[in-house]
Amino acid sequence: MRTTHDDATVRLYHLDGGPEGGAAETLFYGPLTKALDIAAAQSEAVQDCLFLATDNDVIAYLDLIGE
């Protein structure tokens, strides 16, 4: 089970699934609450490819918010 707190440091990144396997573009590195605000402001297409990484876990943004 995942546990974290609002001030946990996370990396918010967009994983591009391009023809060459894509690339990860970091959008933000900092507190979880700020990362979630930034992610929520993205378009649905971008949100579908967003991931949050902590020091020991990675989760898709939409899985985290329950969509």
Side-chain angles (χ1 to χ4, degrees):
M1 180 170 179
R2 290 182 175 96
T3 59
T4 192
H5 52 89
D6 291 343
D7 294 324
T9 300
V10 299
R11 173 184 173 215
L12 172 66
Y13 64 96
H14 179 260
L15 189 58
D16 178 12
E20 299 297 318
E25 176 188 355
T26 299
L27 303 178
F28 176 76
Y29 185 81
L32 175 61
T33 54
K34 178 75 173 167
L36 292 175
D37 289 343
I38 293 169
Q42 305 302 310
S43 68
E44 287 185 25
V46 171
Q47 286 181 1
D48 191 44
C49 299
L50 291 179
F51 293 85
L52 292 139
T54 65
D55 59 347
N56 62 5
D57 202 3
V58 175
I59 186 170
Y61 169 69
L62 293 179
D63 287 347
L64 182 66
I65 64 169
E67 286 192 18

